[in-house]
Amino acid sequence: MKKLLFIISLWHLCFTDILAQNTPASIDQYNVIWNSPSQNAGESMPCGGGDIGLNVWVEKGDIYFYIARSGTFDHNNAVLKLGRMRLTVTPNVFENPSAFTQVLRLSSGDVVIEGSNGKIKTQVKIWVDVFRPNIYVEVNSNQSISAKAQYESWRYQDRLMSKGKENNANSYKWAPPHQVVTRKDSIRFAPKGILFYHNNGEEISAFDVVVKQQGLDSLKKQFYNPIKNLVFGGFISGNNWQQDGTAQGRYRDTDFKAWKIKTIKSSRQQQLMISLQTATTTSISDWEKSLLNTQAEGQKNTLLAQKATHNWWKEFWQKSFIHITPNQKNSKSWEIARNYQVFRYQLACNNFGQYPTKFNGGLFTVDPYFTDTTMKFTPDFRNWGGGTHTAQNQRLVYWGLLKTGDFEAMKPQFDFYKRILNNAELRTKYYWGHQGASFTEQIENFGLPNPAEYGWKRPAGYDKGMEYNAWLEYEWDTALEFCSMILETERFTGKNITEYIPLIESCLRFFDEHYQYLAKKRGSKALDGNKQLVIYPGSGAETYKMAYNPSSTIAGLKTVLEQLLSSPSLASENKKTWEEMLSRIPPMSFRQFENHVTIAPAKTWERINNVESPQLYPIFPWNRYGIGRSGLDTARNTYLYDTDVLKFRSHIGWKQDVIFAARLGLREEAQKLLSLKLQNAPRRFPTFWGPGYDWTPDHNWGGSGMIGLQEMLLQTTDQKIYLLPAWPKEWDVHFKLQAPYQTSVEVEWKNGKLEKLIVIPESRRADIIEAWELK
């Protein structure tokens, strides 16, 4: 895969001049610039590329960064950091706060730190190769300097995890079935560098515990297991460095051991490279060989790698952008655009990851104390699990990538479900004897329910296929959103999605067969009097529980079935099956508030358990209501009058009210919520929102804000493209977004007028509707 990506990078080189001309020069106006050092890791800056994320900061004259990579699961299914680096230059110009800058340069994807003291000026540039897992630290000075660096690890020894919240970082959460230990890494000096890795080996893991807990031992050999024999780590190297011993230390709440190196001779230029490797293998020697090959290629081709990386970022920013009131820098509206761009950068750092970006911090978590001072745990901590994926949250990270055109970045999330499909189908067959994939809301990276949510103390005779959990019971339909995303990707790009059709069909088949199975357990008929499914017990998100025909599930099934039947990737012989299922989907239910007809959460429900508004899900993500669709008044009534919706409204975390308001063309409401949603985070880095309901940085906070902004600017209904359907007329904006059918739309709106409209292909201009006058 990496070789293929590198070939692609060579193609990028052929178009350097073109990209330089077409990339909006204004992207650099959103660079995040600091003119003083940071106090701690909580004031760090993201940097990354490919599938690697760094948190970079300068503290007391030393440059630090954490290293993270997609898919680094230990045997407890926590996502582990790969360590922390510290760099000190002598003379140390970074101790002078009056002559200091640290900049995240969006156009090239790197972080540059500069300092001076008297006549000495030094620059440190940190960047990540987008196409190979190499991190570069380049030091340049106007005079010869020396440097020291150290690799710091808190996993130099086994660490006992305290009971309770510390295990929220792994799959056991609040209910560990045994004493949990994070195993130590292997770390040693090697010729010209430092070698470090974590090896899960054959050790009993969260996978084994979950399989046994859920009574699936007879299927164990058939299950996909991403944890067993997983090895991840790296090699720190440089041509002018030598060993300098080891040391002990403590950062914030965690002790560490440092492996130190120093420059052999002073020079105006110094460089360090950190090469990473992740693989499932039983041979550490083979793993090391592959790692050293990556390191050798990185050293040999540094200039080519840098050029390819710069070109990738240039193309990335040219593909899509949103500039709001660009002539009013640092205004609230400009701030929204800056934060949108910067958050998109954070997502792009995992563009080529094997695993999706986690909603609860992505690649950019730090010591938990800086989020919650009561949590004095290691930097590996994040709340709500590492290998555990919460679908309601994950979806908000990915919907916005359709209109940015970042389709390759969506592949890790799609492949996540494709890899675990077999496991989900096997458990369905084992528990209930029918077909289809049962994807639960809180799902492990091997496709089984999270063990804490499944429940250790379960009533005798309780359905073994079910989570014994008041929030999550019968909540299966979020997987349908990822099916819809896949089908939308096909509609946007025109690319064949045959590899994902079995996943989509299996998700639909589960609903069709399982609810007929449940109905026949209750009585003699599989369908109701109208020959339609009885979706009971169901769930309106985590909120309306034990629901009868929840509207969000009905809307989701109808939308995905319609999308699938329109897909050129669907085999023609399968169409009849899904046409018949579509005829079995029951209608949604409605209710009234103050004589206003609204969408009901379900036909009936037994209790309210959370603070979501799934009665609005037929608007987003399911596109049953909205601009250019019938029933817009009913959808607006639901937003404006439903007392639960009003009570639950907020901009915090995963709340989607800004998206709903935009989809409904409620300009003032959308503007107000967006201004709250994408305002600066209460931290030094402006897009490290959270913790909200989850953790910091909260990626579903940023994701829902991204979607809301896009929907204010551009919406599509069937073939139609609606421009500025919920946009405040007083905000100037220049944007470029993608639309279905391989279409890009560039608009410049200035002083309340449309100044520019570029639609590619030109034939799609006929489908444009100028929506700013719509009521």
Side-chain angles (χ1 to χ4, degrees):
M1 181 63 177
K2 290 296 181 184
K3 288 184 178 179
L4 175 61
L5 296 176
F6 192 69
I7 292 170
I8 294 171
S9 76
L10 294 178
W11 178 86
H12 289 161
L13 290 176
C14 299
F15 296 90
T16 304
D17 293 338
I18 296 173
L19 291 173
Q21 293 169 12
N22 291 337
T23 301
S26 55
I27 194 64
D28 283 333
Q29 72 178 294
Y30 302 119
N31 290 347
V32 180
I33 303 171
W34 293 342
N35 293 311
S36 63
S38 299
Q39 298 183 52
N40 51 55
E43 297 184 352
S44 58
M45 177 179 284
C47 178
D51 65 351
I52 295 167
L54 314 176
N55 292 76
V56 183
W57 76 102
V58 179
E59 181 179 346
K60 297 179 181 177
D62 291 342
I63 297 173
Y64 293 80
F65 57 90
Y66 281 116
I67 306 169
R69 193 180 187 195
S70 174
T72 54
F73 309 111
D74 77 343
H75 74 289
N76 300 315
N77 220 10
V79 173
L80 302 185
K81 293 283 189 188
L82 291 169
R84 181 175 58 230
M85 288 296 300
R86 186 190 305 202
L87 175 72
T88 307
V89 297
T90 303
N92 195 335
V93 298
F94 302 119
E95 291 179 317
N96 179 14
S98 63
F100 175 93
T101 59
Q102 179 175 335
V103 184
L104 170 61
R105 302 193 307 184
L106 294 173
S107 61
S108 50
D110 51 31
V111 167
V112 174
I113 303 164
E114 295 180 336
S116 62
N117 197 343
K119 294 182 179 181
I120 301 177
K121 296 181 179 180
T122 302
Q123 179 195 83
V124 175
K125 181 167 71 175
I126 301 171
W127 62 279
V128 178
D129 185 344
V130 167
F131 299 100
R132 286 197 180 98
N134 289 316
I135 303 161
Y136 294 87
V137 181
E138 300 174 354
V139 184
N140 291 283
S141 185
N142 64 345
Q143 296 184 23
S144 292
I145 60 171
S146 59
K148 293 183 177 181
Q150 58 189 49
Y151 171 75
E152 300 177 351
S153 176
W154 47 95
R155 295 195 305 273
Y156 66 93
Q157 60 181 353
D158 287 353
R159 303 191 81 93
L160 293 177
M161 305 288 282
S162 62
K163 291 192 175 182
K165 289 184 177 180
E166 188 167 16
N167 285 299
N168 274 8
N170 58 54
S171 289
Y172 301 123
K173 295 186 179 177
W174 63 86
H178 52 253
Q179 177 65 64
V180 179
V181 178
T182 299
R183 295 301 181 198
K184 67 179 181 180
D185 290 359
S186 296
I187 309 169
R188 70 174 189 269
F189 286 114
K192 294 187 178 181
I194 303 166
L195 181 72
F196 59 93
Y197 63 86
H198 190 93
N199 181 12
N200 289 342
E202 302 278 347
E203 183 169 355
I204 293 174
S205 69
F207 169 84
D208 302 289
V209 171
V210 170
V211 169
K212 183 175 182 180
Q213 177 205 37
Q214 297 173 19
L216 298 169
D217 280 310
S218 62
L219 301 176
K220 190 173 182 178
K221 291 183 179 180
Q222 300 177 60
F223 279 152
Y224 162 70
N225 179 357
I227 301 175
K228 184 178 179 179
N229 293 321
L230 185 66
V231 184
F232 50 88
F235 184 65
I236 304 164
S237 62
N239 291 327
N240 184 36
W241 298 82
Q242 62 185 349
Q243 298 176 19
D244 194 29
T246 62
Q248 302 284 131
R250 187 175 189 86
Y251 188 83
R252 192 48 250 176
D253 300 302
T254 307
D255 57 288
F256 65 84
K257 184 175 180 179
W259 281 256
K260 303 193 297 180
I261 53 178
K262 62 182 179 180
T263 50
I264 298 170
K265 59 181 180 180
S266 297
S267 173
R268 292 187 178 189
Q269 295 181 324
Q270 311 284 359
Q271 186 183 85
L272 273 176
M273 187 174 73
I274 306 167
S275 303
L276 304 181
Q277 172 73 2
T278 301
T280 299
T281 180
T282 57
S283 172
I284 294 299
S285 62
D286 287 348
W287 180 88
E288 287 188 20
K289 287 178 184 177
S290 182
L291 171 64
L292 293 176
N293 284 339
T294 299
Q295 182 259 350
E297 289 177 350
Q299 282 193 334
K300 181 180 178 181
N301 298 307
T302 299
L303 292 178
L304 183 60
Q306 187 170 52
K307 189 75 171 177
T309 293
H310 282 185
N311 284 339
W312 188 88
W313 283 111
K314 286 178 181 178
E315 183 180 355
F316 176 80
W317 295 117
Q318 190 273 339
K319 181 169 50 181
S320 177
F321 53 84
I322 298 175
H323 305 308
I324 307 172
T325 56
N327 296 323
Q328 299 175 33
K329 191 171 182 180
N330 298 319
S331 66
K332 284 295 182 182
S333 51
W334 179 91
E335 179 183 290
I336 288 169
R338 190 272 310 278
N339 291 345
Y340 171 91
Q341 253 80 226
V342 171
F343 178 71
R344 185 176 169 226
Y345 167 83
Q346 289 172 225
L347 296 183
C349 291
N350 190 34
N351 200 80
F352 298 123
Q354 184 179 4
Y355 281 86
T357 298
K358 284 299 303 292
F359 70 95
N360 53 345
L363 295 170
F364 301 111
T365 57
V366 297
D367 310 68
Y369 176 90
F370 302 119
T371 295
D372 184 337
T373 57
T374 67
M375 294 185 175
K376 299 182 179 181
F377 311 138
T378 77
D380 289 327
F381 183 86
R382 71 177 68 217
N383 211 17
W384 304 123
T388 305
H389 286 247
T390 304
Q392 279 276 328
N393 305 61
Q394 285 296 126
R395 67 196 180 95
L396 294 170
V397 178
Y398 282 92
W399 272 117
L401 300 187
L402 285 168
K403 286 183 178 170
T404 60
D406 298 327
F407 305 114
E408 58 194 359
M410 302 180 80
K411 185 174 172 58
Q413 181 65 71
F414 300 162
D415 287 349
F416 171 84
Y417 276 95
K418 189 176 76 168
R419 279 195 300 269
I420 61 178
L421 173 60
N422 181 64
N423 291 16
E425 290 178 331
L426 285 171
R427 74 180 296 271
T428 298
K429 186 70 173 177
Y430 182 82
Y431 290 133
W432 300 305
H434 63 74
Q435 303 298 314
S438 55
F439 290 115
T440 54
E441 171 64 14
Q442 295 253 340
I443 196 166
E444 296 300 290
N445 50 6
F446 44 84
L448 302 182
N450 174 264
E453 311 288 1
Y454 182 82
W456 291 97
K457 297 178 181 179
R458 299 164 58 88
Y462 191 77
D463 187 337
K464 289 186 177 180
M466 291 291 301
E467 294 162 293
Y468 186 60
N469 182 287
W471 284 263
L472 302 176
E473 59 192 7
Y474 299 102
E475 188 177 5
W476 293 304
D477 57 357
T478 316
L480 293 172
E481 291 201 39
F482 298 105
C483 296
S484 183
M485 276 186 222
I486 293 168
L487 289 158
E488 279 291 271
T489 301
E490 180 185 49
R491 198 164 70 99
F492 270 71
T493 66
K495 294 181 180 178
N496 187 282
I497 58 164
T498 301
E499 64 175 310
Y500 298 110
I501 291 295
L503 165 66
I504 297 166
E505 291 184 310
S506 193
C507 287
L508 291 168
R509 186 172 289 113
F510 171 78
F511 279 90
D512 196 29
E513 296 199 15
H514 193 67
Y515 278 104
Q516 292 189 58
Y517 160 84
L518 290 177
K520 291 176 78 171
K521 287 193 71 174
R522 293 192 303 268
S524 60
K525 299 291 185 180
L527 302 172
D528 68 11
N530 296 316
K531 296 184 179 181
Q532 293 176 323
L533 293 174
V534 178
I535 303 176
Y536 177 83
S539 186
E542 294 184 16
T543 300
Y544 296 92
K545 305 305 295 185
M546 302 303 287
Y548 184 109
N549 286 358
S551 294
S552 51
T553 304
I554 290 168
L557 288 170
K558 284 188 174 182
T559 294
V560 174
L561 282 163
E562 290 167 356
Q563 289 175 312
L564 179 61
L565 287 166
S566 299
S567 169
S569 299
L570 176 66
S572 57
E573 61 267 25
N574 292 347
K575 284 193 174 183
K576 185 177 179 181
T577 297
W578 305 118
E579 287 170 347
E580 290 176 349
M581 182 179 173
L582 181 58
S583 72
R584 289 193 290 271
I585 305 303
M588 290 188 291
S589 298
F590 300 88
R591 58 177 173 171
Q592 290 191 4
F593 292 90
E594 303 175 16
N595 296 320
H596 297 288
V597 177
T598 68
I599 305 165
K603 195 168 187 177
T604 61
W605 56 92
E606 293 183 5
R607 68 181 189 277
I608 293 177
N609 223 71
N610 207 336
V611 290
E612 298 149 319
S613 298
Q615 55 268 61
L616 295 175
Y617 286 16
I619 302 163
F620 171 82
W622 298 124
N623 300 322
R624 312 302 299 181
Y625 297 91
I627 302 295
R629 298 182 184 274
S630 62
L632 179 59
D633 56 340
T634 300
R636 283 178 170 173
N637 288 344
T638 310
Y639 182 92
L640 295 170
Y641 298 108
D642 185 308
T643 54
D644 290 341
V645 169
L646 293 171
K647 181 169 59 176
F648 298 156
R649 185 160 300 154
S650 172
H651 69 281
I652 292 172
W654 43 255
K655 291 286 189 172
Q656 299 144 75
D657 298 286
V658 64
I659 307 173
F660 302 140
R663 279 277 174 102
L664 296 172
L666 302 174
R667 285 186 177 85
E668 292 183 6
E669 185 78 1
Q671 181 183 20
K672 178 183 71 174
L673 287 165
L674 182 73
S675 297
L676 294 170
K677 193 78 166 179
L678 291 185
Q679 67 184 326
N680 286 344
R683 304 179 185 279
R684 188 170 201 193
F685 197 77
T687 59
F688 278 9
W689 294 289
Y693 301 96
D694 301 307
W695 199 238
T696 302
D698 185 344
H699 277 45
N700 54 183
W701 185 318
S704 54
M706 170 184 272
I707 300 162
L709 173 55
Q710 292 172 350
E711 294 299 316
M712 292 170 68
L713 292 167
L714 185 147
Q715 295 180 32
T716 60
T717 299
D718 301 323
Q719 296 278 346
K720 299 301 181 183
I721 301 171
Y722 292 84
L723 298 185
L724 308 175
W727 192 249
K729 294 182 179 180
E730 68 273 16
W731 281 1
D732 293 350
V733 65
H734 181 198
F735 71 85
K736 182 179 180 182
L737 293 171
Q738 307 302 310
Y741 311 112
Q742 302 170 68
T743 303
S744 71
V745 180
E746 183 175 351
V747 169
E748 189 166 4
W749 173 267
K750 194 171 183 179
N751 298 322
K753 294 181 180 179
L754 183 65
E755 296 286 337
K756 177 195 290 186
L757 173 60
I758 301 174
V759 184
I760 300 174
E762 178 66 23
S763 60
R764 290 278 275 144
R765 182 181 283 267
D767 295 319
I768 295 290
I769 295 176
E770 298 176 354
W772 50 86
E773 297 295 344
L774 293 178
K775 300 296 183 183

